[in-house]
């Protein structure tokens, strides 16, 4: 790892989606008609509208000549639009209003105690309320030598080696073998095998072009030309060599087990992630046979077990030899990325998608002159490889596809044995609270809420970003009228229950992990959520996110789920430390715990 990379990892700052989601305010006229199968928690009944919250800077001192970049962290609990401005800063500090990012290398001319002053204007969705402002001042001490920043947060061995691998020494072999250029080349090969067939007229591409397409797509979705390699404004900070692997995440607590690789740009001041989700099964989840899903999970788990376990026990090197561990991790990742069952065409290495999460300006709104109006600069989307016409040729390219959306409400199924997703009242033609035209907010193919772009002629165009951002005329509260955002049962539906944005920006946990939330006969109060330390946008633990209560519980849950998966799929009672339960209580074959 280079010093530059270490510095970047040491100065990662957890950003917020101020205004990116509506969280706790629901008008009373929604609550009074909540269905009998729903639960409206106390936090949803409050009518108080709080001022936006400006978070403290993560460091109180910095060294002379030591580079530090960070974003303004603001959140509005009710999801009102928020305009953030840096009204005072040290002379040498640079501020990008588009991405709300500060890039500062202190100079003597800045003085010994310069300050930053952040001003936030709340722009209420309720037009009867007036705009309000809040200001916060931060003083930073400039010292002669670079300061020692925080150390990487510690975690149990089971987390560090089996759930969220972030230790650079453990990642070294994988980082060298599967740098982002090699990974994109492998994706190009996988997609060519899947899509380029005789008579299809589709032409394959290579990894270099796919990566270039990914940058161009980010440039389009963020309206940020500095990412477009063909634009004169392109910044070489976005070159492939500056995207480093910072985490490997084997996900066995999902319905479909997969490997998630997290690449982060260590050069640019803005926070930007590309996170390929790799599987060993092909086909759409909604159309794939159940036995094929189970086969993927069992096969993935066997590869994982072979890499790090001898029967019931962890192999000695997992705890004692990071170099040997790194070789084993690299071998496991390589097997997933190159898997090929010659007897089953469905069981082949596969790209599910590449979620991209970046603070590059995509979450902002501007006036007709391009002046910043409001927003947090963040955008969440998902890329896939599809054929597109280029220069008269049908070529595979990387592009952001329509965002499927998330569950807006849940109710018990007809026989009362489990929960099912249903449209929120305002989007349900059969509900007394139905609002004409709001059914357009429901994705007919999935039944999920997927707020589209509604054009001037009232036509509907699918959105390719996470539209939890409330820049649309449609109020956000209706999404939680029946099922509170804090209702732990939303987690049954994986990301579709919360959306990725909401999952990473909040101050409550996901309830009692060891209670069967799927059973409508259970009292929802048994798995009610608890307030925890604020969580901002977190992809993987960093020096500034640490491992707060929400993240710690989530990782420990995954350890328990791993133990349960080995039991359910392989019949092996692995000997690992699972603090939540000596014996994982859920049947992991059902999917999300």
């Amino acid at each position: 790892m280079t010093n530059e990379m270490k510095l970047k990892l040491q100065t990662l700052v957890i950003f917020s989606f101020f205004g990116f989601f509506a969280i706790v305010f629901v008008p009373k006229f929604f609550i009074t008609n909540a269905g009998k199968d729903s639960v409206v928690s106390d936090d949803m009944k409050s009518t108080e509208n709080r001022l936006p919250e400006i978070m403290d800077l993560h460091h109180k001192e910095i060294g002379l000549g030591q580079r530090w970049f960070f974003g303004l962290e603001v959140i509005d609990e009710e999801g009102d639009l928020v305009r953030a401005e840096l009204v005072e800063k040290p002379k040498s500090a640079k501020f990008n209003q588009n991405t709300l990012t500060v890039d500062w290398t202190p100079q003597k001319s800045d003085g010994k105690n310069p300050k930053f002053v952040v001003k936030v204007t709340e722009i209420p969705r309720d037009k009867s309320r007036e705009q309000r402002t809040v200001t916060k001042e931060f003083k930073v001490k400039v010292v002669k030598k670079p300061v020692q920043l925080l150390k990487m947060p510690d975690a149990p061995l089971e987390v560090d080696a089996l759930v969220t691998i972030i230790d650079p020494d453990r990642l070294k072999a994988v980082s060298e073998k599967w740098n982002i250029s090699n990974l994109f080349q492998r994706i190009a090969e996988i997609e060519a095998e899947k899509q380029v067939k005789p008579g299809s007229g589709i032409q394959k591409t290579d990894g270099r072009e796919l990566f270039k397409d990914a940058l161009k797509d980010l440039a389009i979705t963020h309206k940020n030309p500095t990412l477009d390699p063909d634009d004169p404004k392109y910044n070489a900070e976005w070159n492939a060599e500056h995207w480093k692997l910072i985490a490997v995440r084997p996900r066995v607590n999902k319905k479909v087990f997969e490997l998630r690789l997290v690449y982060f740009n260590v050069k640019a001041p803005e926070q930007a992630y590309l996170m390929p989700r790799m599987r060993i099964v092909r086909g759409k989840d909604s159309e794939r046979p159940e036995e094929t899903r189970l086969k993927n999970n069992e096969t993935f788990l066997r590869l994982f077990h072979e890499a790090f376990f001898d029967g019931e026990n962890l192999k000695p090197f997992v705890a004692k030899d990071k170099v040997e561990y790194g070789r084993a991790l690299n071998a496991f990742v390589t097997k997933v990325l190159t898997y090929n069952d010659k007897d089953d065409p469905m069981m082949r290495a596969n790209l599910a998608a590449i979620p991209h999460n970046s603070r590059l300006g995509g979450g902002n709104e501007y006036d007709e002159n391009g002046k910043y109006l409001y927003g947090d600069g963040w955008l969440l989307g998902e890329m896939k490889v599809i054929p597109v016409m280029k220069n008269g040729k049908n070529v595979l390219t990387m592009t952001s596809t329509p965002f499927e959306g998330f569950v807006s409400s849940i109710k018990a199924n007809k026989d009362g044995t489990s929960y099912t997703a249903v449209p929120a009242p305002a989007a349900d033609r059969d509900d007394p609270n139905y609002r004409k035209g709001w059914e357009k907010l429901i994705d007919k193919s999935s039944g999920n809420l997927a707020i589209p772009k509604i054009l001037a002629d009232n036509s509907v165009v699918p959105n390719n970003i996470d539209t939890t951002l409330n820049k649309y005329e449609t109020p956000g509260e209706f999404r939680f009228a029946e099922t509170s955002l804090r209702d732990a049962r939303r987690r049954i539906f994986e990301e579709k229950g919360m959306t990725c944005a909401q999952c990473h920006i909040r101050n409550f946990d996901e309830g009692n992990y060891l209670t069967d939330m799927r059973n409508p006969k259970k009292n929802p109060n048994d798995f009610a959520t608890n307030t925890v330390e604020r969580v901002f946008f977190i992809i993987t633990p960093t020096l500034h996110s640490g491992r707060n209560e929400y993240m710690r519980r989530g990782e420990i849950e995954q350890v328990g789920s791993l133990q349960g998966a080995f039991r359910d799929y392989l019949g092996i009672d692995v000997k690992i430390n699972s603090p939540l339960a000596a014996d994982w209580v859920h049947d992991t074959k059902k999917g999300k715990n």
Side-chain angles (χ1 to χ4, degrees), residues 17-55:
F17 289 89
F18 41 93
F20 206 64
F21 70 107
I23 182 168
V24 297
F25 173 70
V26 176
K28 292 182 179 178
F29 60 83
F30 281 137
I31 296 174
T32 54
N33 290 289
K36 64 180 181 179
D37 295 316
S38 64
V39 173
V40 181
S41 58
D42 290 339
D43 65 281
M44 299 299 289
K45 298 177 183 178
S46 173
T47 57
E48 176 189 1
N49 190 291
R50 288 147 293 193
L51 280 169
E53 181 181 0
I54 303 174
M55 305 307 293

Side-chain angles (χ1 to χ4, degrees), residues 359-410:
R359 189 180 186 129
L360 298 171
N364 298 342
E365 282 293 302
Y366 306 91
D367 64 17
E368 63 275 8
N369 298 316
K371 183 180 179 180
Y372 167 80
L373 294 175
Y374 56 80
D376 65 350
W378 276 97
L379 180 145
L380 183 148
E382 188 173 78
M383 295 180 184
K384 294 186 179 182
V385 179
I386 63 173
V388 172
M389 293 301 297
K390 287 185 178 180
N391 301 319
K393 299 179 181 179
N394 203 10
V395 182
L396 291 177
T397 188
M398 188 75 72
T399 188
S400 289
T401 54
F403 210 86
E404 186 174 328
F406 69 103
V407 174
S408 59
S409 185
I410 63 173

Side-chain angles (χ1 to χ4, degrees), residues 55-107:
M55 305 307 293
D56 292 335
L57 300 186
H58 296 285
H59 298 289
K60 294 183 179 180
E61 65 177 25
I62 195 73
L64 190 67
Q66 181 177 12
R67 191 184 182 194
W68 180 25
F69 25 77
F70 59 90
L72 304 187
E73 297 183 1
V74 185
I75 191 168
D76 185 87
E77 286 280 345
E78 291 76 31
D80 289 317
L81 300 175
V82 182
R83 178 168 60 247
E85 300 169 278
L86 188 63
V87 295
E88 186 174 343
K89 64 180 182 61
K91 293 181 180 179
S92 66
K94 300 175 183 177
F95 178 63
N96 187 327
Q97 183 67 77
N98 183 41
T99 64
L100 304 183
T101 302
V102 174
D103 187 354
W104 183 37
T105 303
Q107 306 296 314

Side-chain angles (χ1 to χ4, degrees), residues 11 21 29-30 37 52-53 62 80 117 142 157 204 218 241 269 370 415 438 440 543:
T11 54
F21 70 107
F29 60 83
F30 281 137
D37 295 316
E53 181 181 0
I62 195 73
D80 289 317
V117 179
V142 177
L157 173 65
K204 64 181 181 180
L218 287 175
E241 62 266 25
D415 58 10
W438 282 38
K440 293 179 180 180
L543 291 168

Side-chain angles (χ1 to χ4, degrees), residues 273-526:
Y273 299 88
L274 290 173
M275 302 172 291
R277 298 168 48 218
M278 308 302 300
R279 297 175 175 175
I280 55 176
V281 65
R282 295 182 177 178
K284 295 182 179 179
D285 290 350
S286 59
E287 301 173 2
R288 186 186 303 115
E290 178 68 359
E291 57 268 26
T292 304
R293 177 184 75 85
L294 295 174
K295 185 177 181 180
N296 167 81
N297 293 356
E298 180 177 342
T299 304
F300 185 94
L301 205 58
R302 285 192 184 280
L303 294 177
F304 194 50
H305 183 268
E306 291 171 0
F308 303 114
F309 289 85
D310 278 328
E312 298 177 343
N313 301 306
L314 282 168
K315 293 180 177 179
F317 67 74
V318 175
K320 298 178 179 180
D321 189 337
K322 291 184 179 182
V323 174
E324 182 62 25
Y325 170 89
R327 296 192 189 103
L329 179 65
N330 181 50
F332 168 67
V333 171
T334 300
K335 287 179 181 179
V336 172
L337 297 182
T338 59
Y339 191 82
N340 187 352
D341 185 338
K342 296 180 180 179
D343 298 323
D344 188 346
M346 289 287 287
M347 296 294 292
R348 308 281 170 86
N350 187 42
L351 169 72
I354 301 183
H356 55 90
N357 305 263
S358 304
R359 189 180 186 129
L360 298 171
N364 298 342
E365 282 293 302
Y366 306 91
D367 64 17
E368 63 275 8
N369 298 316
K371 183 180 179 180
Y372 167 80
L373 294 175
Y374 56 80
D376 65 350
W378 276 97
L379 180 145
L380 183 148
E382 188 173 78
M383 295 180 184
K384 294 186 179 182
V385 179
I386 63 173
V388 172
M389 293 301 297
K390 287 185 178 180
N391 301 319
K393 299 179 181 179
N394 203 10
V395 182
L396 291 177
T397 188
M398 188 75 72
T399 188
S400 289
T401 54
F403 210 86
E404 186 174 328
F406 69 103
V407 174
S408 59
S409 185
I410 63 173
K411 289 185 178 180
N413 61 8
K414 291 182 179 180
D415 58 10
T417 58
S418 63
Y419 287 105
T420 185
V422 297
D428 183 355
R429 290 178 180 272
D430 298 325
D431 193 280
N433 290 313
Y434 166 70
R435 296 186 178 187
K436 185 177 180 181
W438 282 38
E439 69 279 2
K440 293 179 180 180
L441 305 180
I442 301 298
D443 185 335
K444 294 181 180 179
S445 64
S446 66
N448 294 328
L449 178 72
I451 300 177
K453 296 177 182 177
I454 301 178
L455 306 181
D457 61 0
N458 211 32
S459 59
V460 176
V461 179
N463 238 317
N464 67 346
I465 63 172
D466 182 350
T467 50
T468 49
L469 178 65
N470 291 319
K471 64 183 179 182
Y472 301 96
E473 293 181 0
T474 307
E477 301 89 20
F478 80 95
R479 296 174 291 175
F480 313 116
E482 283 191 317
T483 309
S484 165
L485 175 63
R486 292 173 180 257
D487 193 320
R489 294 173 298 174
R490 282 184 171 273
R491 69 193 305 270
I492 299 170
F493 300 93
E494 298 189 354
E495 283 88 349
K496 298 177 182 65
M498 285 292 200
T499 77
C500 294
Q502 293 161 355
C503 186
H504 294 292
I505 313 296
R506 57 181 171 188
N507 65 343
F508 57 94
D509 66 15
E510 292 184 321
N512 186 344
Y513 296 132
L514 302 183
T515 303
D516 189 0
M517 300 178 188
R518 296 187 187 87
N519 187 353
K521 296 179 182 179
K522 293 280 188 179
N523 185 344
N525 291 330
D526 291 341

Side-chain angles (χ1 to χ4, degrees), residues 201-221:
I202 300 174
Q203 298 188 15
K204 64 181 181 180
T205 187
D206 61 23
R208 182 178 178 180
E209 285 300 312
L210 274 189
F211 180 74
K212 180 179 178 180
D213 292 337
L215 292 183
K216 292 177 74 68
D217 184 78
L218 287 175
I220 292 171
T221 53

